[in-house]
Amino acid sequence: MKKLFIIVLSLFLFSGTAFSAMIIKLGVVTKPGSAQNIVSEKFKELIEQRSKGEIQVKIFHSSSIGTETEILQQIQMGAVQMGVITGGPFDTFDPIVRVINYPFIFKDNDQADKILDGPLGDEILKSLESSGFKGLCFSENGFRNLTNNKTAVKTPEDIKGLKIRVMSSALHNEIWKALGANPTPMPWPIYTELEQGVIDGQENPLWVMEVYKFYEIQKYMTLTRHVYSPHIDVASLKWWQTLKPEQQEMIQKSMKDAAVFQRNDNRLKDADRIKLLKEKGMQIEANPDIDAFRAKVLNLKNIDLYKEPKVQALLLKMLD
Ligand code: EAX
């Protein structure tokens, strides 16, 4: 009897030591307090709780495992399992992402949610599978606004010749060329380049100006809202296919809940950000000549970057 007990006990202990939590490595390029980090931390909290600790998340932030492009490459290989990545650098991996980065395609948050949470969003997420990603959902970076340290900007004329940092994306480069700027693609982060005057300006959602203290080094901001920048919350398809259906479901649901939480959080905080940035000394142009900006980018849909039939078709559907 004693022997049996020992056998049973050792079997139990063995299976106990054989059990180990699954660790998900998740990469973001931003620092704690940033939009990407808020989604990631919420996801970590939800999945660890819902899986009762069987699934754990290790967040690699502040570019500690590379730029967004490098994180995506590691996700493709399965070396990193998940990422919360801005639309910009993603479009080199799948040109369909250019559809959501099209300037002025979303007029407000509600429309962005409706489209990205609906069939068009699903079509984009599904498309990512052909480049090795399981697209889970969209959280948000937000509507992007222009800042610079040279001049107040109200119309595209004011932008002429300004050296503007853009994300590592051929499309974003084209957008700023069309607007008359001198765009310079570079990966995140960019504080030092702005501080040293290597670039005159940049464009990002309001939270970035606050969290990264751009008010210290950028005098002018224009509420251009030229691109609505979602984050694409992705997993490695290679890894995803090794998961049990119930794990997939739990991860999918937790990430979607985290995304909805973060979008609301960002929008709630936006209300106070303009005030804060003004107090910090930024000069803000709240009513730029948006029609003039829009006119400058009207023909972008005809550029080669939108040529692929699948991409062209989806863009036209969205512009409809
Ligand atoms: O969220 O590279 C960028 O401009 C992104 O918006 C950055 O990740 C900040």
Side-chain angles (χ1 to χ4, degrees):
M1 191 62 196
K2 200 170 165 197
K3 227 181 195 168
L4 186 67
F5 176 73
I6 290 172
I7 291 170
V8 171
L9 182 71
S10 59
L11 270 176
F12 177 76
L13 285 178
F14 178 74
S15 67
T17 48
F19 166 80
S20 57
M22 174 201 292
I23 311 276
I24 296 177
K25 287 191 202 159
L26 186 156
V28 294
V29 293
T30 42
K31 65 180 183 183
S34 300
Q36 291 89 324
N37 302 59
I38 292 173
V39 194
S40 307
E41 282 158 21
K42 190 71 186 171
F43 168 69
K44 175 181 164 69
E45 176 196 319
L46 293 177
I47 194 72
E48 291 183 353
Q49 189 185 57
R50 292 174 184 175
S51 72
K52 304 195 170 47
E54 280 185 28
I55 302 177
Q56 291 184 11
V57 180
K58 181 148 178 44
I59 300 170
F60 292 86
H61 62 81
S62 311
S63 311
S64 64
I65 52 168
T67 61
E68 291 195 310
T69 304
E70 288 160 350
I71 294 173
L72 286 174
Q73 286 162 345
Q74 294 171 80
I75 292 176
Q76 274 180 319
M77 293 184 307
V80 171
Q81 288 74 44
M82 291 178 70
V84 173
I85 308 290
T86 323
F90 219 129
D91 70 9
T92 350
F93 292 82
D94 187 338
I96 202 141
V97 173
R98 289 179 193 142
V99 173
I100 41 180
N101 283 330
Y102 197 80
F104 303 109
I105 204 162
F106 295 113
K107 66 173 193 305
D108 54 27
N109 294 330
D110 286 349
Q111 193 198 17
D113 289 352
K114 217 159 131 201
I115 289 179
L116 296 173
D117 291 342
L120 284 176
D122 284 346
E123 198 174 328
I124 291 165
L125 294 173
K126 184 84 193 142
S127 165
L128 305 180
E129 290 185 14
S130 55
S131 40
F133 302 103
K134 168 70 191 169
L136 298 171
C137 56
F138 300 95
S139 47
E140 81 168 14
N141 211 313
F143 279 95
R144 305 180 78 89
N145 298 299
L146 175 70
T147 71
N148 85 94
N149 211 21
K150 281 260 159 85
T151 179
V153 172
K154 192 172 173 76
T155 76
E157 303 309 310
D158 304 322
I159 291 175
K160 233 172 231 146
L162 281 184
K163 235 175 152 186
I164 303 296
R165 174 271 178 176
V166 294
M167 290 187 281
S168 311
S169 151
L171 173 63
H172 279 264
N173 205 45
E174 289 303 319
I175 295 173
W176 287 92
K177 259 204 252 165
L179 289 173
N182 181 3
T184 311
M186 52 176 78
W188 195 256
I190 55 170
Y191 187 97
T192 315
E193 288 77 2
L194 287 169
E195 190 180 27
Q196 294 174 348
V198 179
I199 39 178
D200 302 319
Q202 61 90 43
E203 44 82 55
N204 252 302
L206 294 176
W207 70 261
V208 171
M209 321 315 175
E210 181 192 354
V211 175
Y212 279 91
K213 300 196 165 105
F214 280 3
Y215 50 79
E216 292 175 349
I217 45 168
Q218 296 277 274
K219 175 84 187 147
Y220 306 98
M221 175 158 73
T222 307
L223 303 184
T224 45
R225 295 167 62 86
H226 50 281
V227 168
Y228 175 76
S229 212
H231 307 132
I232 310 186
D233 306 327
V234 285
S236 161
L237 186 62
K238 215 169 161 179
W239 167 72
W240 188 256
Q241 286 162 343
T242 67
L243 300 178
K244 297 187 199 120
E246 55 275 22
Q247 292 174 321
Q248 292 179 340
E249 208 174 296
M250 201 185 279
I251 292 170
Q252 170 78 61
K253 170 101 177 55
S254 300
M255 192 43 124
K256 184 63 198 276
D257 291 347
V260 171
F261 168 86
Q262 180 268 333
R263 291 194 303 218
N264 288 335
D265 175 78
N266 191 38
R267 292 165 192 178
L268 277 174
K269 288 176 183 161
D270 258 358
D272 292 330
R273 283 182 176 135
I274 302 270
K275 202 169 134 237
L276 174 100
L277 296 170
K278 271 188 189 157
E279 278 165 18
K280 295 285 185 187
M282 280 189 113
Q283 194 177 307
I284 299 177
E285 173 53 67
N287 291 303
D289 187 351
I290 293 297
D291 288 342
F293 280 94
R294 205 181 269 123
K296 291 267 180 198
V297 292
L298 217 54
N299 289 326
L300 275 180
K301 55 180 175 300
N302 303 322
I303 60 177
D304 277 359
L305 295 172
Y306 286 106
K307 236 186 188 151
E308 209 177 288
K310 189 168 87 170
V311 179
Q312 178 70 221
L314 192 62
L315 179 64
L316 295 180
K317 215 193 271 181
M318 277 184 61
L319 285 172
D320 217 6

